[in-house]
Amino acid sequence: MKIAMVGSGYVGLVSGACFADFGHDVVCIDKDASKIERLHAGIMPIYEPGLAELVDSNVRAGRLSFSTDLASSIKDAQAIFIAVGTPSRRGDGHADLSYVYAVAQEIAENLSNPAVIVTKSTVPVGTGDEVERIIRDGAPGLQFAVVSNPEFLREGAAIGDFKRPDRIVVGAEGEWERGVMTEVYRPLFLNKAPLLFTGRRSSELIKYAANAFLATKITFINEMADLCEKVGADVQDVARGIGLDNRIGSKFLHAGPGYGGSCFPKDTLALLKTAEDYASPVRIVEAVVRVNDSRKRAMGRKVIEAIAEAGGGEPRGKKIALLGLTFKPNTDDMRDAPSIAIVQALLDVGAELVAYDPEGMEAAAPLMPEVTMVKSAYEAVTGADAVVLVTEWDAFRGIDLERVGQLVNSRVLVDLRNVYDPAEVRAAGWHYSSVGRK
Ligand code: UGA
């Protein structure tokens, strides 16, 4: 099957490469000529484990190509995916749909063969109706259908998530487009991934509801973690104790510094806007957004308290080493990373900051110019008055804490991801604090 993927960002590129790997003939399109040029040279625009290899092998096999020319690339395509960005609109938090609509317009101007237009971008309820209207008005008489097919990929695990999904959601109103989408996903279908057909509006809402629910789960356990600290309980035990109940489930109950990234913050806000537009408030999600926002900065206060409790006094002039900056491991993405608020909170009290992140420093540097970026975790901790684990990269899990202990000025460790064993670390002479544990 011939597939055109409009938008070669995170979602478009991963999905395009995976579809090609299933044996489809895929062209990934992007307006950004330098991105396409780099892709031709095998240079990925993002860091995602396994992506470069997957792209390379499918390009070699002749199943995957790249282009800046939408008009010629959508010729003969049976499915045209729209996978462009839908950032938060400046000022009001609504999803900015201008890129999606511009692509719909361009498709309308250039499409001549029957095709299913698939919205993969995260778009508010009703966007499919508007895409359909734009194409119908621009290309009257053309056989086409617009379907919704949200993605559930996690950065850092996107290829695995694409190839072994819990479910594939397709919002399609007619038989013909359902048939085309079944063909698109046949290889996964054979792997028994449930293909769930719904109406288009339900599918659009499923994406937001899923992200809002996961954000709620995280925020719930984060507040439980705060309570655990106050009452002398252990949030890891609480999470396990509730997660073993299948109705709750054990995933996304890991307490931390608050969720970040390009999806949860943006999508929860956009859902609030939709709810507002329809005068149907989602108060739980409103609370989640507020609690999560204030949590990130509160993590800075946690570091300040840890220094004081260890007898280090005021944070002014103290050297604090940050291990990890990205919003989570295995990505170079800094969007809405908790580290940004933590850095600000610590700079505000006059601390001196040094950081190391395996992949994120290039993206982080312009966001936090006052922070000194160094080339290794050991370099970062040298002479530090406190070490803060912000992002749980594997490299930090296995760090040699004895060596770190010899390099630091003072053995204060704040573990915002509960990576280390409190008893072990304390036995090694550290003043250790983590999230939701005694
Ligand atoms: C999220 C969803 O998990 C994907 O299913 C969805 O497709 C994607 O958004 C999207 O809408 O495109 P992603 O943002 O890549 O994926 O990252 P997650 O692994 O979900 O983590 C999000 C944030 O929650 C991170 O800051 C992470 O550290 C935090 N988190 C996650 C926790 O604090 N605790 C947990 O137990 C899990």
Side-chain angles (χ1 to χ4, degrees):
M1 173 173 268
K2 188 168 174 204
I3 293 176
M5 184 69 65
V6 188
S8 301
Y10 202 87
V11 172
L13 193 54
V14 170
S15 308
C18 288
F19 279 138
D21 211 44
F22 293 161
H24 294 313
D25 178 6
V26 181
V27 53
C28 286
I29 303 148
D30 207 290
K31 278 212 163 337
D32 182 343
S34 70
K35 186 188 273 183
I36 294 296
E37 225 166 80
R38 275 178 283 142
L39 281 166
H40 278 140
I43 303 166
M44 298 301 109
I46 44 155
Y47 172 77
E48 177 66 30
L51 184 61
E53 295 78 1
L54 192 73
V55 166
D56 180 59
S57 68
N58 283 285
V59 167
R60 279 173 200 275
R63 290 187 297 259
L64 180 63
S65 60
F66 304 101
S67 174
T68 51
D69 182 15
L70 183 140
S72 65
S73 302
I74 63 171
K75 272 208 181 78
D76 310 324
Q78 289 122 299
I80 304 170
F81 282 78
I82 302 179
V84 294
T86 53
S88 278
R89 200 162 63 190
R90 239 170 227 272
D92 68 2
H94 270 284
D96 179 353
L97 296 171
S98 53
Y99 303 106
V100 172
Y101 293 150
V103 171
Q105 188 60 46
E106 220 181 325
I107 291 173
E109 285 160 14
N110 292 287
L111 192 63
S112 50
N113 50 290
V116 174
I117 322 300
V118 191
T119 313
K120 213 170 217 338
S121 304
T122 298
V123 293
V125 175
T127 304
D129 301 2
E130 184 61 12
V131 169
E132 185 174 311
R133 191 196 59 74
I134 292 171
I135 299 176
R136 196 185 321 107
D137 289 357
L142 190 79
Q143 191 198 348
F144 77 97
V146 175
V147 314
S148 157
N149 172 219
E151 56 86 15
F152 301 106
L153 312 176
R154 282 166 307 163
E155 290 186 21
I159 294 169
D161 283 351
F162 194 96
K163 292 191 164 181
R164 288 175 294 281
D166 288 341
R167 79 304 201 186
I168 301 152
V169 174
V170 175
E173 305 292 337
E175 275 311 309
W176 172 62
E177 53 267 36
R178 278 191 212 125
V180 171
M181 292 306 285
T182 305
E183 273 314 302
V184 166
Y185 280 107
R186 183 170 296 285
L188 281 180
F189 200 50
L190 296 176
N191 282 346
K192 305 238 180 335
L195 187 54
L196 174 70
F197 284 112
T198 68
R200 200 165 56 198
R201 287 186 163 232
S202 302
S203 169
E204 288 169 338
L205 190 55
I206 283 169
K207 167 69 189 196
Y208 284 99
N211 274 359
F213 192 85
L214 292 170
T216 304
K217 242 184 136 176
I218 296 168
T219 307
F220 177 85
I221 202 68
N222 282 341
E223 285 204 311
M224 284 301 132
D226 292 348
L227 187 57
C228 283
E229 287 178 21
K230 295 272 159 40
V231 303
D234 184 322
V235 74
Q236 312 268 95
D237 289 340
V238 174
R240 191 162 157 73
I242 63 172
L244 283 171
D245 182 333
N246 285 333
R247 293 170 302 174
I248 297 174
S250 59
K251 292 184 181 154
F252 276 68
L253 283 180
H254 197 83
Y259 62 78
S262 65
C263 305
F264 289 171
K266 162 176 88 71
D267 294 349
T268 44
L269 270 189
L271 182 62
L272 292 187
K273 290 297 161 187
T274 300
E276 214 175 84
D277 287 350
Y278 286 83
S280 179
V282 282
R283 295 187 192 92
I284 291 176
V285 184
E286 279 170 28
V288 165
V289 169
R290 272 203 312 275
V291 170
N292 192 64
D293 277 349
S294 57
R295 180 170 193 81
K296 294 180 184 175
R297 204 175 156 88
M299 292 298 113
R301 288 198 295 277
K302 197 176 179 67
V303 176
I304 296 165
E305 276 162 25
I307 294 173
E309 277 167 19
E314 289 299 309
R316 182 160 302 280
K318 292 279 178 332
K319 180 176 167 185
I320 300 176
L322 305 176
L323 301 185
L325 294 170
T326 50
F327 82 99
K328 66 173 192 175
N330 298 323
T331 176
D332 56 358
D333 200 336
M334 281 297 297
R335 283 176 286 182
D336 278 306
S339 63
I340 300 171
I342 296 170
V343 160
Q344 198 50 60
L346 295 175
L347 288 173
D348 288 348
V349 291
E352 191 195 311
L353 303 180
V354 185
Y356 168 71
D357 185 284
E359 295 292 337
M361 294 194 294
E362 205 181 311
L367 302 173
M368 39 186 77
E370 303 87 345
V371 177
T372 308
M373 304 283 170
V374 294
K375 291 201 177 64
S376 78
Y378 296 108
E379 194 181 338
V381 302
T382 302
D385 296 296
V387 177
V388 186
L389 182 111
V390 183
T391 314
E392 71 278 32
W393 287 89
D394 277 346
F396 303 144
R397 291 178 188 274
I399 205 165
D400 180 351
L401 272 181
E402 198 35 54
R403 185 172 160 203
V404 173
Q406 273 154 26
L407 293 171
V408 294
N409 184 39
S410 165
R411 290 194 174 204
V412 177
L413 178 56
V414 183
D415 174 3
L416 298 180
R417 303 285 184 165
N418 291 352
V419 161
Y420 304 113
D421 177 358
E424 243 174 60
V425 181
R426 287 193 183 117
W430 287 87
H431 178 95
Y432 176 74
S433 60
S434 55
V435 177
R437 302 193 290 185
K438 282 170 272 183

